[in-house]
Every structure is written in C-alpha cells, then in structure tokens.
Amino acid sequence: YDASTFYTSHLDISSQYMYATRQAARDDSDQPRGARAWTAKRGEQWVHDCELLFHFLDRDRSQTVELYELLVGMHAYGFELAPQELARRWAASGAPGTPEAGALDLEHFLNFLGQSSKDAGPQAEATHSLVDAQVTGLENKGLLGVRPTQ
C-alpha cells in the first residue's frame, strides 16, 4: 500500500468502528426480543460483543448483515464456514430467505452466532465441531464475550 491508501483504509475502518460502538451502546430497551434470551443463555457481555460485531460488519449501515458482509467479516476474523454449515445456520437462525437472497437483522445474527453443533442434532455434531472450535476461538480472543485469561 502507499500512504494514501493506508490512510484512507484507516479512516474507513475507524469510522465503521465508531459507528459500531455508538450503535452497540444504545439503550437496552432497543434490544430485539431474541437478545434477552441470549443474555440469559450466554451473558450480557456476549450479547454486547455480538452487537458490536454485527454493527462493525454492517458496512452499508442498513441494520442488516448481507451475505457478502458476513463472509468478508468472518474471513477477517479467521472464521470459515462450509456452504452447508452456512445454509444450516442461516435456516436455524430463523432469518427469511436464503443466504444468497436475504440478510440477517440483529436478532437473527445472534441466533446465527449463538448456535452450537448440539443444536444440529447428534449426526451433525462431529461435522460441526470445527465450527464450534472456531466460535470458541473468537470467544477466547475476547471477540465474543469471553475475555482471555491473563
């Protein structure tokens, strides 16, 4: 990169991070219904971190995360999903449409991230254990509600 490209990229990322921080800091009364259930299940910090991630991935600031935004963001965090796993998680999240023709709002995004292989049933558990390990890796890096131990 040259200095101009680096500076422009930095401003773009900084602007998106500031937007995400403001959105995630809003009053809890604005939370979707599903956020309360995930707060009870995973904790307030996990939901907050997922909200921050959601708004950071929402590059067009449409209050939804489209497939492209999701894949680019997940790749940036080292999280890869096989097409079958993406489709399964999308369907299980309750989001309308398909990954190619839909978008995740915050409630569906929480459902998408919060699933574990146990939610897929015993036959799929081994297949999806790698995905669970990747989610756990994000949690261990402090990206999804669990702070790394010192």
Side-chain angles (χ1 to χ4, degrees):
Y1 289 123
D2 62 10
S4 175
T5 302
F6 178 76
Y7 182 70
T8 303
S9 298
H10 173 74
L11 289 179
D12 184 44
I13 291 169
S14 296
S15 171
Q16 189 65 23
Y17 184 76
M18 288 173 37
Y19 164 76
T21 303
R22 281 193 308 272
Q23 291 295 329
R26 69 182 193 278
D27 186 358
D28 284 347
S29 64
D30 294 341
Q31 280 188 337
R33 293 184 317 263
R36 289 182 185 88
W38 283 112
T39 299
K41 191 172 186 177
R42 293 276 186 120
E44 193 173 305
Q45 187 64 51
W46 186 87
V47 171
H48 173 76
D49 290 349
C50 287
E51 283 185 79
L52 187 63
L53 179 60
F54 172 82
H55 292 296
F56 190 73
L57 296 180
D58 182 20
R59 303 292 294 166
D60 62 2
R61 301 180 183 185
S62 63
Q63 301 298 312
T64 59
V65 173
E66 288 79 23
L67 178 64
Y68 177 76
E69 294 169 323
L70 180 67
L71 294 177
V72 167
M74 293 178 83
H75 179 75
Y77 283 107
F79 190 92
E80 302 294 334
L81 286 178
Q84 317 82 281
E85 179 64 7
L86 176 67
R88 185 195 69 75
R89 282 178 176 263
W90 191 280
S93 76
T98 63
E100 297 79 17
L104 298 169
D105 62 14
L106 179 56
E107 182 174 356
H108 295 120
F109 184 76
L110 291 169
N111 294 341
F112 183 90
L113 282 183
Q115 300 172 44
S116 74
S117 60
K118 294 177 184 86
D119 300 328
Q123 289 93 2
E125 192 165 339
T127 306
H128 303 299
S129 62
L130 177 60
V131 173
D132 289 345
Q134 289 175 320
V135 171
T136 301
L138 291 177
E139 291 172 343
N140 290 339
K141 291 176 187 172
L143 299 173
L144 291 179
V146 178
R147 298 292 179 238
T149 55
Q150 302 295 3

